[in-house]
């Protein structure tokens, strides 16, 4: 068999440097690409069953035009499933997938659906027998995947709308599917088939009627889709192209190992990524970790939650989806009205970017427990190279990201789990609902916390910083008694001088959550109008204002003895209300005791009958400010 080794890179900004107008691999030939990018302007023709392309060690394929590929040869690319260091716990956890290839057949210039039976398991550098897809049993093995866990969803409103792929099923190009892992170390899947390319369209339409009232979303539907190409994908460009028909966020399923298939013991949930400025190519977006929940047999929240997912702390968090990454998208929330429609994915969203070695480093991201992957290098000092044909300078974007300052609020609920709520500060946003920069909460758990903007319940809220801003913060309480502990867990690129408080309207209290914790126990109910996140302690300011006022009021009075006229004189030039006036001699004998004197500018009291000596006077205003002064009477 003839081998073609390719080591070419198409550099951004140099349009004359192209790999090929189109690519043809003849019978009994293969192309082996290692840690590089192949750029093809038009189509790829894999002429025969033994015409193959092998992408290894992070190699990727980027295509430009909407011309689809042809023939019966196959491209092979690896991705890792859920894995926890080679233990069998991977068999209990889902990954959300989107295949980068379809079944290779004799059709010309078209994408083809992905056949579950074409999942492969590598046994050598280019050898990969098929996994067995079994319709019986629950625990996948090193050679067999259980089809019980293969599901897909398109325009679904709840648990009942998942569609079973089965052991003989196929998945439409660009749609995602769920699958649990196998017990093998690193758990590599070899996707083999015709490489997907060009424009793909799918549906995410809400009819106005909730199709599953017992679980899921009330006013939206969601579709499991993902990155359908054998290259990285820019989710900012994906949302920009679909900003009318989608709600503006990407939802990633995350799950921790529980060593059981029982749905009541799952601990999983959706993490959320949203761009802040949809038209800013350098936008890094905001990310909120998943709150893990457990579920009943109908997919409803059991409120026995435990834990929070990992935080993607790299500069771009989850903007770039790695090969095979599946994720949920949602129709807009139009308060019960019909919304959504067709969304598209196309080649302009593709780029070459190596997969990150962990969720704390730069690179495209694939959600899995293991940081080891065939698509990453083993070096902690991995140098990321990013490039595309779409006109964006990705290296410059990575070096000069538009970072949104953020506050990450952790609400610990019933000592079981955390909800992470993120505030992003951007001068172009306000307290109203903003489609980008604001992200709907993935699902409101029985006991939960969220921001509120125009009746939208949010896990991420972008706003211009204003010391007088008051951001509504809702607490949902399902138990008879519900305990909440709220604090700022982290502050990124935010001034140290900014203060953050929880304001309790009912108690009229301000609690500093930047340097402390707001703790409260609530009875069952929904508290959407009681709490606010604010940036100043208004009661403290009121007290400070009161102190200033007291000094000003006291200083405005003048009390003195006019011995020439035998009168005590009180000057009140600002007409403050005088509630009382008293005067005592040095023995404590009461001389004058006057009340409700009004707000005259001057008062006089005769002193001609008093003995010479010192006297103490006290004026009390309607604000209970006291002006005390000693006067000398000389008769």
């Amino acid at each position: 068999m003839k081998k073609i080794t390719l080591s070419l890179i198409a550099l951004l900004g140099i349009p004359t440097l192209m790999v090929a107008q189109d690519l043809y691999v003849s019978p009994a030939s293969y192309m082996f690409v290692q840690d590089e990018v192949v750029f093809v302007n038009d189509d790829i023709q894999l002429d025969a069953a033994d015409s193959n392309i092998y992408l290894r060690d992070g190699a990727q394929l980027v295509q430009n035009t909407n011309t689809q590929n042809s023939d019966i040869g196959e491209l092979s690319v690896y991705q890792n499933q859920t894995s926890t260091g080679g233990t069998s716990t991977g068999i209990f956890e889902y990954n959300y997938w989107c295949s980068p290839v379809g079944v290779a057949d004799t059709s010309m210039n078209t994408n083809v659906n992905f056949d579950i039976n074409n999942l492969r398991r590598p046994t050598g550098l280019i050898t990969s027998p098929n996994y067995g897809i079994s319709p019986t049993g629950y625990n996948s093995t090193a050679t067999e995947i259980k089809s019980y866990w293969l599901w897909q969803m398109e325009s679904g409103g709840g648990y009942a709308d998942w569609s079973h792929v089965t052991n003989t099923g196929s998945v439409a190009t660009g749609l995602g599917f769920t699958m649990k892992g196998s017990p093998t170390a690193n758990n590599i899947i070899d996707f083999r088939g015709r490489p997907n390319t060009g424009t793909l369209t799918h549906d995410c339409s809400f009819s106005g009627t909730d199709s599953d009232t017992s679980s899921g979303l009330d006013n939206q539907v969601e579709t499991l889709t993902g990155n359908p190409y054998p290259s990285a994908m820019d989710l900012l460009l994906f949302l920009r192209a679909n900003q009318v028909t989608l709600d503006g966020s990407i939802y990633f399923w995350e799950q921790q190992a529980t060593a059981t298939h029982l749905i009541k013991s799952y601990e999983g949930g959706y993490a959320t990524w949203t761009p802040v400025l949809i038209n800013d190519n350098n936008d890094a977006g905001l990310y909120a970790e998943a709150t893990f929940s457990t579920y009943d047999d109908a997919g409803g929240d059991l409120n026995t939650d435990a834990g929070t997912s990992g935080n993607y702390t790299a500069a771009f968090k989850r903007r770039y989806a790695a090969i095979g990454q599946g994720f949920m998208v949602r129709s807009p929330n139009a308060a019960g009205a019909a919304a959504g429609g067709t969304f598209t994915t196309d080649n302009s969203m593709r780029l070459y970017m190596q997969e990150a070695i962990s969720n704390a480093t730069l690179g495209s991201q694939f959600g899995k427990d293991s940081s080891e992957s065939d698509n990453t290098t083993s070096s902690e000092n991995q140098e990321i190279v990013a490039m595309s044909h779409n006109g964006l300078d990705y290296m410059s974007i990575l070096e000069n990201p538009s970072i949104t300052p953020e506050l990450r609020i952790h609400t610990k609920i019933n000592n079981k789990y955390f909800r992470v709520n993120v505030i992003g500060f951007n001068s172009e946003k306000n307290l109203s609902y903003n489609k980008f920069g604001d992200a709907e909460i993935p699902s409101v758990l029985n006991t939960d916390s969220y921001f509120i903007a125009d009746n939208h319940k949010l896990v991420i809220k972008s706003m211009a910083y204003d010391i007088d801003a008051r951001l509504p913060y809702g607490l949902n309480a399902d138990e008879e008694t519900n305990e909440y502990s709220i604090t700022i867990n982290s502050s990124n690129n935010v001034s140290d001088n900014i203060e953050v408080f929880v304001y309790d309207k009912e108690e009229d209290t301000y609690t500093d959550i930047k340097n402390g914790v707001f703790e409260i126990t609530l009875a069952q109910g929904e508290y959407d109008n009681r709490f606010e996140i604010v940036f100043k302690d208004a009661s403290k300011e009121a007290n400070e204002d009161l102190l200033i006022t007291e000094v000003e009021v006291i200083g405005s009075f003048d009390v003195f003895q006019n011995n020439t006229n035998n009168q005590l004189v009180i000057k009140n030039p600002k007409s403050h209300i005088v509630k009382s006036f008293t005067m005592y001699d040095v023995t404590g004998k009461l001389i004058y005791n006057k009340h409700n004197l009004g707000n005259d500018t001057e008062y006089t009291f005769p002193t001609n009958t008093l003995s010479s000596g010192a006297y103490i006077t006290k004026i009390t205003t309607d604000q209970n400010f006291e002006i005390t002064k000693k006067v000398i009477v000389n008769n």
Side-chain angles (χ1 to χ4, degrees):
M1 178 177 285
K2 182 179 179 182
K3 175 183 177 183
I4 303 172
T5 301
L6 190 66
S7 179
L8 298 171
I9 298 180
L11 297 177
L12 178 78
I14 309 177
T16 58
L17 189 55
M18 308 283 285
V19 172
Q21 184 67 26
D22 54 7
L23 178 62
Y24 172 78
V25 180
S26 61
S29 300
Y30 68 87
M31 177 184 295
F32 190 90
V33 188
Q34 187 173 14
D35 192 27
E36 300 285 5
V37 56
V38 179
F39 178 85
V40 179
N41 191 58
D42 291 322
D43 66 325
I44 297 172
Q45 301 172 42
L46 301 174
D47 191 55
D50 53 2
S51 304
N52 298 298
I53 300 174
Y54 299 102
L55 302 181
R56 296 292 183 266
D57 296 330
Q60 298 178 25
L61 168 67
V62 177
Q63 290 179 257
N64 185 19
T65 69
N66 196 38
T67 305
Q68 275 85 51
N69 300 319
S70 302
D71 298 323
I72 60 175
E74 294 180 321
L75 174 139
S76 166
V77 63
Y78 290 171
Q79 186 52 277
N80 299 70
Q81 303 182 74
T82 297
S83 175
T84 52
T87 68
S88 62
T89 53
I91 66 176
F92 300 110
E93 297 129 42
Y94 282 112
N95 280 131
Y96 280 18
W97 293 94
C98 186
S99 175
V101 300
V103 175
D105 60 19
T106 58
S107 61
M108 300 295 289
N109 299 118
T110 184
N111 290 308
V112 286
N113 292 352
F114 175 70
D115 187 344
I116 292 298
N117 287 280
N118 210 32
L119 289 168
R120 306 286 192 92
R121 54 184 182 86
T123 56
L125 194 59
I126 61 174
T127 56
S128 293
N130 290 73
Y131 274 100
I133 309 297
S134 172
T136 61
Y138 304 103
N139 292 350
S140 296
T141 69
T143 60
E144 188 176 71
I145 291 172
K146 302 300 182 181
S147 65
Y148 189 89
W149 311 113
L150 302 174
W151 296 84
Q152 58 184 328
M153 179 181 283
E154 186 171 16
S155 294
Y159 193 71
D161 291 328
W162 284 97
S163 174
H164 198 195
V165 177
T166 77
N167 62 308
T168 60
S170 66
V171 180
T173 307
L175 287 182
F177 63 96
T178 69
M179 184 171 69
K180 290 191 177 183
S182 75
T184 56
N186 288 331
N187 226 333
I188 296 175
I189 291 288
D190 182 0
F191 286 95
R192 290 202 180 197
R194 179 178 297 171
N196 298 328
T197 190
T199 301
L200 310 171
T201 60
H202 292 291
D203 190 66
C204 192
S205 298
F206 178 61
S207 66
T209 301
D210 185 2
S211 59
D212 182 0
T213 57
S214 64
S215 69
L217 306 171
D218 294 329
N219 298 320
Q220 297 173 275
V221 293
E222 54 192 350
T223 294
L224 177 52
T225 181
N227 174 10
Y229 304 117
S231 65
M233 176 179 169
D234 187 343
L235 299 182
L236 174 67
L237 300 188
F238 170 72
L239 289 176
R240 182 184 296 171
N242 297 290
Q243 54 188 298
V244 174
T245 53
L246 298 180
D247 81 337
S249 300
I250 303 290
Y251 301 90
F252 299 95
W253 173 260
E254 297 183 9
Q255 182 179 348
Q256 65 183 14
T258 56
T260 177
H261 291 300
L262 292 175
I263 191 170
K264 293 181 180 180
S265 298
Y266 282 1
E267 292 179 4
Y270 288 100
T272 309
W273 180 82
T274 184
V276 177
L277 298 174
I278 190 64
N279 293 315
D280 180 358
N281 292 327
N282 290 47
D283 185 71
L286 291 171
Y287 176 84
E289 301 99 304
T291 295
F292 290 151
S293 181
T294 55
Y295 305 89
D296 61 25
D297 291 335
D301 166 36
L302 278 176
N303 204 35
T304 55
D305 319 84
T308 303
S309 72
N311 180 18
Y312 285 72
T313 54
F316 279 89
K317 302 177 176 68
R318 297 208 70 163
R319 172 173 164 176
Y320 303 107
I323 294 172
Q325 177 66 67
F327 49 80
M328 285 289 193
V329 295
R330 295 181 175 178
S331 60
N333 184 345
T342 298
F343 65 90
T344 62
T345 309
D346 62 48
N347 283 337
S348 70
M349 303 164 192
R350 298 172 69 170
L351 73 153
Y352 171 68
M353 180 184 289
Q354 299 106 309
E355 189 174 328
I357 59 176
S358 74
N359 62 6
T361 57
L362 283 175
S364 58
Q365 295 282 356
F366 184 86
K368 54 179 174 285
D369 294 328
S370 174
S371 63
E372 297 178 10
S373 169
D374 177 77
N375 291 325
T376 66
T377 67
S378 60
S379 171
E380 288 293 329
N381 297 317
Q382 178 188 20
E383 183 178 352
I384 292 295
V385 176
M387 61 189 75
S388 181
H389 63 295
N390 61 16
L392 299 185
D393 184 347
Y394 280 102
M395 292 306 295
S396 176
I397 290 172
L398 291 178
E399 293 168 359
N400 303 284
S402 297
I403 299 295
T404 300
E406 63 179 37
L407 295 170
R408 308 185 77 81
I409 299 175
H410 279 201
T411 301
K412 189 175 185 180
I413 300 172
N414 290 330
N415 291 313
K416 295 177 181 176
Y417 57 97
F418 287 92
R419 169 65 74 186
V420 178
N421 300 104
V422 180
I423 298 176
F425 292 120
N426 183 280
S427 61
E428 297 185 22
K429 306 296 183 180
N430 54 41
L431 290 174
S432 298
Y433 173 70
N434 307 292
K435 185 170 183 177
F436 299 104
D438 292 357
E440 301 265 359
I441 192 167
S443 61
V444 179
L445 303 180
N446 290 339
T447 305
D448 214 335
S449 64
Y450 39 82
F451 303 121
I452 302 171
D454 299 332
N455 295 317
H456 292 264
K457 295 180 178 180
L458 308 174
V459 68
I460 300 173
K461 180 74 186 85
S462 294
M463 55 182 286
Y465 173 73
D466 182 346
I467 195 170
D468 294 315
R470 311 187 77 86
L471 175 59
Y473 195 60
L475 295 177
N476 199 52
D478 186 66
E479 305 287 339
E480 288 186 12
T481 58
N482 304 268
E483 298 179 359
Y484 303 85
S485 297
I486 305 172
T487 191
I488 298 294
N489 177 261
S490 64
S491 173
N492 302 317
N493 302 295
V494 175
S495 169
D496 291 338
N497 296 325
I498 288 180
E499 298 180 302
V500 190
F501 303 87
V502 170
Y503 175 55
D504 183 341
K505 296 180 185 178
E506 186 172 303
E507 299 295 328
D508 194 24
T509 59
Y510 292 81
T511 303
D512 181 354
I513 60 170
K514 187 177 180 183
N515 302 297
V517 180
F518 173 74
E519 296 182 330
I520 193 168
T521 300
L522 297 173
Q524 189 178 57
E526 191 172 53
Y527 298 83
D528 285 355
N529 299 302
R530 177 170 171 177
F531 302 101
E532 295 174 330
I533 303 298
V534 299
F535 305 100
K536 68 178 181 181
D537 184 342
S539 65
K540 180 180 177 182
E541 283 205 349
N543 289 335
E544 290 173 349
D545 291 343
L546 198 63
L547 289 173
I548 294 172
T549 302
E550 183 175 8
V551 171
E552 291 175 346
V553 170
I554 292 173
S556 69
F557 279 88
D558 187 15
V559 182
F560 60 92
Q561 169 66 20
N562 185 337
N563 284 314
T564 303
N565 296 329
N566 300 116
Q567 289 180 330
L568 178 77
V569 181
I570 300 175
K571 297 283 190 179
N572 179 23
K574 294 189 176 181
S575 297
H576 295 297
I577 296 173
V578 177
K579 187 165 67 174
S580 66
F581 166 71
T582 55
M583 183 175 180
Y584 300 86
D585 65 16
V586 292
T587 67
K589 179 182 177 181
L590 182 63
I591 307 300
Y592 283 111
N593 185 19
K594 304 293 185 179
H595 295 275
N596 301 319
L597 299 181
N599 63 340
D600 293 344
T601 58
E602 181 176 299
Y603 305 92
T604 60
F605 299 93
T607 58
N608 59 311
T609 62
L610 301 180
S611 302
S612 296
Y615 292 82
I616 304 298
T617 64
K618 183 169 75 173
I619 301 164
T620 304
T621 70
D622 63 330
Q623 297 169 287
N624 291 321
F625 299 153
E626 295 182 350
I627 300 95
T628 302
K629 189 168 184 179
K630 183 173 72 172
V631 296
I632 303 298
V633 174
N634 189 6
N635 285 329

